[in-house]
Amino acid sequence: MPKNSKVVKRELDDEVIESVKDLLSNEDSSDDAFKKSELMVDDQEEKDVDVEEGSDVEDERPAWNSKLQYILAQVGFSVGLGNVWRFPYLCQKNGGGAYLVPYLILLLIIGIPLFFLELAVGQRIRRGSIGVWNYISPKLGGIGFASCVVCFFVALYYNVIIGWSLFYFSQSFQHPLPWDQCPLVKNASHTFVEPECEKSSATTYYWYREALNISSSLSESGGLNWKMTICLLAAWVMVCLAMIKGIQSSGKIMYFSSLFPYVVLLCFLIRGLLLNGSVDGIRHMFTPKLEIMLEPKVWREAATQVFFALGLGFGGVIAFSSYNKRDNNCHFDAVLVSFINFFTSVLATLVVFAVLGFKANIINEKCVIQNSEKILKLLKMGNLSQDMIPHHINFSSITAEDYNLVYDIIQKVKEEQFDSLGLKSCQIEDELDKAVQGTGLAFIAFTEAMTHFPASPFWSVMFFLMLVNLGLGSMFGTIEGIITPIVDTFKVRKEILTVICCLVAFFIGLIFVQRSGNYFVTMFDDYSATLPLLIVVILENIAVIRIYGIDKFMEDLKDMLGFSPSQYYYYMWKYVSPFVLLCLLVASIVQMGLSPPGYNAWIEDTAMEEFHSYPTWGMIVCISLMVLAILPVPIVFMVRRCNLIDDSSGSLASVSYKRGRIIKEPVNLEGDNTSLIHGKSPSEVPSPNFGKNIYRKQTGSPTLDTAPNGRYGIGYLMADMPDMPESDL
């Protein structure tokens, strides 16, 4: 040890202020760097520098190149396939335009407040989901691990849907489209239409038989579908290449993947409005059914849609916001992204129902022609009298209105024998009531409508390219919700982790490209995310509002934003949102218990879907998915509670912060009570990721429980540090 080390130590100790009052009175008012909200290292004011736990090396966290890039990333993550094929279905099913009322109310009650909460904690603590909740309370660190597990489960099957879209995209460069007509089968004597296709439709047959080559049950694997296996591999390669450099690569891709779907939706809307019958579809869509809106089921489904539309609980929102500067206005971001998501859903709904109205008109015209021919046969056979038919009716060019007039007359006159005549009521509303969701909407209903478009291959290419982009945007956020927390926690190289994650996910994902793979997609979609994510978000709310403290959190937001958030958020976070989330959790459990667990299997002989219950092993898989997703929460809690892992190396006392530089200190916790922050044990001390000034007090000075502003939290935290050892001087 140098001879003058004790002299240097005494000089340094003389600079230490022993009270908050003295500290404030001696603070240099002209020292702007000292008052900034970031921790400035080496006086580089333009850099946001984070200090890794137990690390001697300062790590510079990546940042978004621009605010626009960040907003597009959040929009790309929240706006996904659900906006195109689930929201329109729910809107049509639950009261049309009236469904928008409960959706908007719940968006304001749970959507925006919880989205704002995730953005705020991610931006302030600047860590992924694991680091954020470990910072607030190490016992709740399992929340972040649970988010990662759910993200992984969702990524497994979500990328399969992108693979399906890639397959249809590759098949769209043909004229006519391959699903335009039923295939012909030739034998020794004659040629006939494929029976399975004839019983269903060309697009339905192509989806189940040509694309999926689906088996008749979950237990019947049928081997790998090589076409879909190649498409799944291509999807994972795209995700891996886009994510391998983190936000530096995925952020640039967001400019295309987030904006292109809007271009396609607008083109489809303009084209759809020019189609015959599109107005009927939109009118049917927005005709409010107020009596349906009052049903509890409508509110439950609206709350679930709000919840998943914004990607709450996945960790992707927290991961993306962690790359922001601490003074970014995340409140503005939360409101903007939430309403962009809502208006995207409405835009997609307009497009879907304009196209479905066109499709319903075509089917209705076929119905009118077929039943008009039946009426002519009945007239020739004498079963109907010519006097019943109005004179102005011309069956060679009959309209839907004229047919319905004849139908009503026959029904009244032949009331007793009417059922035996076999006539159908050809109503466009009846066809529009047959709403489909999910894969049925995208790969059956929409593809059938596009076969009637002029230049149908062009529209098919655009539509499936849009689906690929929507899927990739959501996948980037989902994978970021896995990669960022693990990189922050375990300090592994992001490139290596990304490649390993994508490889593992691809090989596990092979179960989804078997002939029975579609049934596994349904299983994962129903059971791997719903309940676990609800529990995760409820725990997030409790962690911030109860464990950390709502008052401290509101003060931290004021420091970060530069203004006090509305008290509206205070009451939403503290009372309303937890209550609504608990009601939603109970309703989901009840719904899951009342609905028989099963799936719709495609039966080749009847060319129809048939409901099958899950076998015993299938039920075990369903339950295991839910348990595995939420299991990290109790495990981490018990490990921390029982101090089974010695994490003192990452405790707060291991790093001392001084103005302009960082001094590493060895940890000596024995007999050192000053390292206990607000009564926490060393293992419970949060990671050293502070927002503003860190004040160091000499051992032996009066113990203070609050920071200079009368509180402590993310923004301000005063740690009692042991005296600096002479060996470090």
Side-chain angles (χ1 to χ4, degrees), residues 473-702:
S474 297
M475 275 298 296
F476 293 156
T478 304
I479 297 298
E480 199 68 55
I482 303 171
I483 301 297
T484 298
I486 295 177
V487 169
D488 289 342
T489 305
F490 301 104
K491 311 301 182 292
V492 296
R493 287 192 60 183
K494 176 165 279 191
E495 295 86 348
I496 297 175
L497 179 62
T498 303
V499 172
I500 293 174
C501 180
C502 291
L503 278 175
V504 171
F506 167 71
F507 285 113
I508 297 177
L510 292 178
I511 65 173
F512 301 107
V513 289
Q514 305 173 94
R515 290 183 59 199
S516 60
N518 188 45
Y519 307 137
F520 283 97
V521 171
T522 303
M523 177 191 292
F524 272 66
D525 191 32
D526 290 341
Y527 292 97
S528 69
T530 307
L531 288 180
L533 279 182
L534 275 171
I535 295 172
V536 164
V537 175
I538 290 172
L539 292 175
E540 287 181 356
N541 199 308
I542 293 173
V544 174
I545 306 311
R546 303 295 178 186
I547 307 300
Y548 183 74
I550 179 67
D551 295 320
K552 291 181 290 182
F553 186 61
M554 294 294 287
E555 287 295 326
D556 292 334
L557 286 175
K558 181 179 179 181
D559 293 335
M560 186 166 62
L561 300 176
F563 61 89
S564 296
S566 170
Q567 286 296 304
Y568 169 81
Y569 293 104
Y570 179 93
Y571 294 108
M572 288 297 107
W573 286 330
K574 191 170 184 179
Y575 302 111
V576 181
S577 295
F579 175 75
V580 174
L581 286 172
L582 286 172
C583 291
L584 181 57
L585 178 63
V586 172
S588 300
I589 293 173
V590 171
Q591 175 67 21
M592 196 171 290
L594 295 177
S595 302
Y599 60 100
N600 291 319
W602 179 255
I603 308 302
E604 182 177 355
D605 295 336
T606 60
M608 293 178 64
E609 286 187 334
E610 184 178 291
F611 183 80
H612 285 186
S613 297
Y614 285 119
T616 303
W617 65 266
M619 286 300 303
I620 294 174
V621 172
C622 294
I623 296 172
S624 299
L625 289 174
M626 293 187 288
V627 172
L628 285 174
I630 208 64
L631 196 59
V633 175
I635 288 179
V636 173
F637 180 84
M638 293 305 298
V639 167
R640 296 287 189 178
R641 180 77 176 175
C642 302
N643 291 321
L644 299 180
I645 295 180
D646 181 17
D647 61 345
S648 60
S649 61
S651 69
L652 186 61
S654 63
V655 179
S656 172
Y657 292 76
K658 290 185 71 68
R659 188 190 311 179
R661 59 198 178 100
I662 301 175
I663 301 175
K664 176 72 175 160
E665 297 186 13
V667 181
N668 181 18
L669 296 176
E670 295 182 5
D672 182 17
N673 295 325
T674 60
S675 64
L676 304 180
I677 300 178
H678 312 305
K680 294 184 178 181
S681 65
S683 63
E684 294 176 305
V685 176
S687 59
N689 305 311
F690 309 114
K692 287 197 174 181
N693 306 320
I694 309 300
Y695 297 94
R696 181 175 178 270
K697 181 172 67 67
Q698 187 180 15
T699 303
S701 61

Side-chain angles (χ1 to χ4, degrees), residues 86 208 213 286 290 310 363 376 415 565 585 587:
R86 180 161 174 78
Y208 283 114
N213 192 19
F286 286 103
L290 298 177
L310 295 175
I363 294 175
L376 286 174
E415 186 175 353
L585 178 63

Side-chain angles (χ1 to χ4, degrees), residues 289-304:
K289 304 178 182 67
L290 298 177
E291 66 282 0
I292 299 179
M293 189 184 73
L294 301 177
E295 297 178 5
K297 181 187 68 172
V298 175
W299 290 81
R300 180 182 63 81
E301 293 189 343
T304 304

